Amino acid sequence: NEHTTDAQAYALPPNWGYETALNSPVYSDNLANRISTLRYDLMLASQSRFSARLGGSYAGNLISYSVLQYGGYPNPYTVENTPMDPLNMHSSPLASEQGYYAEIIALPYPSLEFSAGTRFQRWGVNQSNVSSPHTGLVWKVNSKFSLLANVSKTAQLPPYLYLLVEPQNIQLKPITSRQVQIGLT
């Protein structure tokens, strides 16, 4: 369970052409998430130099959000930085998330490890999904020194509050990132 509340009051000189009382309410929220997750992972290893990992997860998030944005102030959930209409939002959907992954690991030589795999994620709140592949290579130069390289794509959905607070935001798709890592240990 996660539960947060925020309350903000006006603390600046009057602006936008009308008088606002100091310490008058500007924004408040009451946000609750009840998250349950079921997960399964399986690792298969052969006597040779190959292994595989498979798994999946399902999460259900019972959301209860209330947001009150008083009129005349910029809305923190849009790109507009101008005064907007009041916002009074109450939302309590069940948001689901599914994820499945598969990865193979090969050791062609005792000092060289290669891995490749993918993860598929689906978010029920806006019916979006993404596949995230990755590959990696580790070269154990000696017992105290290794070089590594990884290329991957990762994804995450914008926070549920941003999706639910404005009707058009539910169309937002997952944020993706392509990453290249090179390192040594």
Side-chain angles (χ1 to χ4, degrees):
N1 287 327
E2 301 172 349
H3 187 208
T4 63
T5 58
D6 288 302
Q8 298 174 6
Y10 193 75
L12 298 173
N15 200 355
W16 299 305
Y18 61 89
E19 293 293 321
T20 302
L22 193 62
N23 296 323
S24 62
V26 173
Y27 172 89
S28 64
D29 66 31
N30 186 355
L31 312 175
N33 295 286
R34 292 182 180 162
I35 304 166
S36 297
T37 303
L38 177 64
R39 180 182 173 126
Y40 184 78
D41 296 292
L42 176 65
M43 179 143 182
L44 307 168
S46 68
Q47 299 251 339
S48 64
R49 297 181 173 169
F50 292 95
S51 62
R53 287 184 253 197
L54 307 166
S57 65
Y58 175 86
N61 183 353
L62 185 56
I63 293 172
S64 177
Y65 290 168
S66 293
V67 176
L68 182 57
Q69 165 80 37
Y70 298 86
Y73 297 96
N75 182 334
Y77 304 107
T78 66
V79 295
E80 298 293 324
N81 195 20
T82 57
M84 301 191 69
D85 293 334
L87 172 66
N88 189 354
M89 185 275 294
H90 303 281
S91 185
S92 55
L94 173 63
S96 65
E97 180 179 337
Q98 300 171 41
Y100 307 97
Y101 74 91
E103 178 181 45
I104 58 169
I105 301 163
L107 298 163
Y109 303 102
S111 63
L112 192 62
E113 178 183 298
F114 173 76
S115 64
T118 192
R119 177 174 176 81
F120 176 80
Q121 290 176 269
R122 178 171 179 75
W123 293 273
V125 72
N126 66 354
Q127 305 303 312
S128 59
N129 55 60
V130 68
S131 181
S132 304
H134 76 90
T135 59
L137 188 65
V138 177
W139 175 33
K140 296 177 185 171
V141 177
N142 59 42
S143 63
K144 296 183 180 183
F145 184 74
S146 297
L147 297 173
L148 60 96
N150 292 297
V151 177
S152 64
K153 175 183 171 183
T154 60
Q156 71 181 41
L157 202 60
Y160 287 128
L161 181 58
Y162 285 84
L163 294 175
L164 299 173
V165 76
E166 290 286 345
Q168 70 272 12
N169 287 1
I170 198 70
Q171 299 172 25
L172 291 172
K173 296 302 177 195
I175 302 162
T176 60
S177 171
R178 287 176 179 76
Q179 301 173 353
V180 175
Q181 301 169 335
I182 299 173
L184 57 96
T185 56

